[in-house]
Amino acid sequence: MESSEKILYLDAGAGISGDMTVAAFLDLGADRKVLEDALASIPAEGFQTKISRVKKAGIDCCDFSVILDEAHENHDHDMEYLYGHEHHHDHEHHHDHEHHHDHEHDHMHGHDHHHHHEHRNYQDVKDILTKVNMTPAAHELALRIFSFVAEAEAKAHGLAADQVHFHEVGAIDSIVDVVSAAVCFDNLGIREVIIPSLGEGTGTVRCQHGILPVPVPATQNIMEAAGLHFTRIDERGEFITPTGAAIAAALITSDRLPGRYRVLRTGIGAGKRAYEHTNVLRAMLIQPEEEENPADSRRIWKLESNIDDSTGEQLGFVMDELLRAGARDVHYIPVFMKKNRPAYLLNVICTEGDIPEMERIIFRHTTSIGIRRTAMERTVLDRENIRVQFGLGEADVKVCTFEGKRMYYPEYESVIRIAREREMAFGDVYEAILGFCTERLR
């Protein structure tokens, strides 16, 4: 799939799970043949996969199903098993054939291997992933997804990550979901993923360890570790699965949408569970758009004034006021004026529309009696401001592009905020942000 932009907006307001993510990526245009080749290489038995079209609340969606044989079924999508203690009305079952259009895009993929595990530890999962036919980038993403799960389970049970034995998430259907999500995402060639929040329900859910509140501890720990945001859905049920949360945690590069953008393509993935709140995940390929006229962005204005009798306090205050009012840049240059008076040359860079306010501030707060104005043409690199989520928290970053190369500049305020919160050196925080951007957003 080709596009001039590779920015994905993942609308997970109605929840997220592994199979929903895979379905949304397939609907967005991921290559099914590439996925099928990867699935055929998984060294495990007892499962088939099926890709079909379904309707959720009348909306046509893609559905990705991992169908387990009797020995491997873990009841993950059986509503009565999951919610029997509090749900007494009918729900659609895992295989709702009334809504599947089997003549459309229907694919069954069988496996007959001999490496069955009831429960797998972290190393077992990593061993399986090394044998799957996928690119190094897809393999790295799949490992990253499972590392979030391992750390979250370890925290929940008070164990080291390598001691955790996966139950639901280690089951083969979740391994297939993670592999499929990683392969499809890698195939789409997306560099940036925006996830404003994940929608989660209320109540309790039954799992391997008993009845737990929603979100379950593993999901809560993943969301906490990655700094993901919750949006509360006023309905009983688990809308965010641990696998879904881990995929979101591994993919997210920002939680903030651009102020103005176009949607180039949309993929909709169906969830398996029946809720009043439609259980779908939307994956939208978007293209940010400049809000100002590109011709105007090449023209800038410089205001300057010689000031020889304002105090340092006044000038410091004026700089703050000018920047707060929207000046692109403000600086002072030491100069000598007539009669050998030490003074400062005030320079302000701003847009034409900001000139009146800039001049008002200068005249009001300094002793200046005149301001020179110069219109200047300029050459600017393509740039955008993004917000990234990384190991130390949230940071604003300026991204510039020159001859196809992307350059990242962490914003000063974000660096000092994290440095103070974490009691770290400024340079260490700066390098951590830069390293994250270079590795994840390339």
Side-chain angles (χ1 to χ4, degrees):
M1 188 179 85
E2 294 297 324
S3 168
S4 59
E5 294 286 342
K6 296 292 184 181
I7 300 176
L8 180 71
Y9 165 31
L10 210 54
D11 176 9
I16 185 171
S17 64
D19 50 4
M20 291 167 73
T21 307
V22 178
F25 288 168
L26 287 167
D27 204 33
L28 194 62
D31 191 323
R32 285 179 54 179
K33 178 65 166 62
V34 172
L35 174 60
E36 289 163 12
D37 290 346
L39 292 175
S41 68
I42 295 177
E45 62 180 7
F47 76 94
Q48 296 177 313
T49 58
K50 180 179 179 180
I51 300 167
S52 57
R53 306 300 300 183
V54 301
K55 290 194 185 298
K56 300 286 285 190
I59 299 170
D60 180 61
C61 313
C62 180
D63 180 80
F64 177 77
S65 295
V66 182
I67 303 168
L68 305 177
D69 65 17
E70 193 87 20
H72 296 76
E73 177 59 61
N74 68 357
H75 303 285
D76 180 49
H77 304 304
D78 185 330
M79 294 298 290
E80 280 305 310
Y81 176 80
L82 286 167
Y83 304 107
H85 57 286
E86 61 179 25
H87 283 236
H88 305 289
H89 52 283
D90 291 336
H91 290 277
E92 67 180 352
H93 191 264
H94 174 40
H95 310 306
D96 184 359
H97 293 292
E98 287 185 7
H99 298 290
H100 285 254
H101 310 302
D102 291 335
H103 61 283
E104 272 190 1
H105 309 295
D106 193 7
H107 171 69
M108 298 289 287
H109 195 86
H111 298 259
D112 185 21
H113 298 283
H114 305 286
H115 302 287
H116 173 54
H117 296 274
E118 280 299 325
H119 301 304
R120 294 177 175 85
N121 62 30
Y122 192 21
Q123 188 58 52
D124 292 332
V125 172
K126 288 193 284 188
D127 289 344
I128 287 174
L129 295 180
T130 61
K131 298 178 175 66
V132 178
N133 178 22
M134 53 182 166
T135 68
H139 180 255
E140 180 184 343
L141 176 57
L143 282 176
R144 181 172 167 78
I145 294 168
F146 265 110
S147 73
F148 272 107
V149 178
E151 293 294 337
E153 292 283 4
K155 181 178 179 181
H157 301 299
L159 299 170
D162 58 2
Q163 294 178 315
V164 171
H165 279 74
F166 296 118
H167 301 292
E168 281 92 343
V169 181
I172 189 59
D173 55 340
S174 293
I175 292 173
V176 173
D177 282 344
V178 170
V179 167
S180 300
V183 167
C184 289
F185 179 81
D186 175 63
N187 179 252
L188 289 170
I190 293 163
R191 294 183 306 201
E192 299 175 28
V193 180
I194 300 171
I195 309 177
S197 66
L198 306 183
E200 180 60 298
T202 63
T204 57
V205 63
R206 188 194 307 272
C207 70
Q208 179 76 24
H209 305 289
I211 296 173
L212 296 173
V214 172
V216 298
T219 297
Q220 178 76 43
N221 291 340
I222 292 166
M223 299 280 286
E224 182 180 328
L228 297 168
H229 301 292
F230 282 109
T231 299
R232 179 62 65 186
I233 297 172
D234 189 20
E235 183 174 351
R236 287 183 175 272
E238 180 191 35
F239 284 76
I240 308 171
T241 67
T243 304
I247 292 170
L251 294 182
I252 187 171
T253 58
S254 173
D255 63 0
R256 182 170 296 185
L257 284 163
R260 175 184 166 98
Y261 61 90
R262 289 193 302 121
V263 177
L264 304 178
R265 185 177 174 85
T266 301
I268 304 178
K272 298 297 188 295
R273 301 171 188 171
Y275 299 118
E276 291 180 20
H277 197 99
T278 305
N279 191 209
V280 298
L281 176 71
R282 292 193 301 172
M284 288 172 268
L285 198 68
I286 67 171
Q287 180 175 324
E289 293 185 339
E290 286 287 339
E291 296 196 48
E292 60 182 1
N293 187 319
D296 292 340
S297 72
R298 292 194 296 270
R299 174 174 286 231
I300 205 75
W301 286 77
K302 182 172 78 168
L303 312 182
E304 62 177 32
S305 180
N306 295 351
I307 303 173
D308 68 352
D309 52 353
S310 287
T311 67
E313 288 88 348
Q314 283 178 294
L315 296 179
F317 176 75
V318 168
M319 176 181 280
D320 288 341
E321 289 297 290
L322 291 167
L323 291 170
R324 284 179 57 190
R328 299 296 180 89
D329 198 11
V330 180
H331 64 267
Y332 295 102
I333 302 172
V335 295
F336 280 94
M337 292 173 55
K338 59 188 176 182
K339 300 181 182 177
N340 294 323
R341 292 177 185 169
Y344 289 95
L345 171 62
L346 167 62
N347 271 295
V348 180
I349 305 297
C350 66
T351 61
E352 185 173 14
D354 286 334
I355 289 175
E357 179 62 8
M358 300 295 120
E359 292 186 339
R360 187 192 70 80
I361 291 170
I362 294 168
F363 282 134
R364 183 178 184 187
H365 297 295
T366 77
T367 56
S368 173
I369 59 172
I371 300 169
R372 297 178 293 277
R373 290 199 297 250
T374 308
M376 309 176 79
E377 294 292 324
R378 62 176 183 163
T379 301
V380 294
L381 296 178
D382 290 337
R383 66 182 75 180
E384 62 176 314
N385 295 311
I386 64 172
R387 176 165 294 179
V388 300
Q389 299 275 151
F390 74 119
L392 298 176
E394 193 173 75
D396 293 320
V397 180
K398 184 178 293 177
V399 187
C400 297
T401 305
F402 178 62
E403 295 184 343
K405 181 181 178 182
R406 291 160 64 82
M407 295 163 287
Y408 304 94
Y409 302 97
E411 294 289 0
Y412 171 78
E413 294 296 337
S414 292
V415 177
I416 62 171
R417 174 178 51 77
I418 294 171
R420 287 169 178 160
E421 289 174 353
R422 300 278 182 167
E423 297 183 348
M424 293 175 64
F426 180 99
D428 291 342
V429 175
Y430 189 98
E431 290 300 324
I433 299 171
L434 196 59
F436 173 86
C437 293
T438 303
E439 176 187 347
R440 294 289 310 285
L441 308 184
R442 59 184 183 273

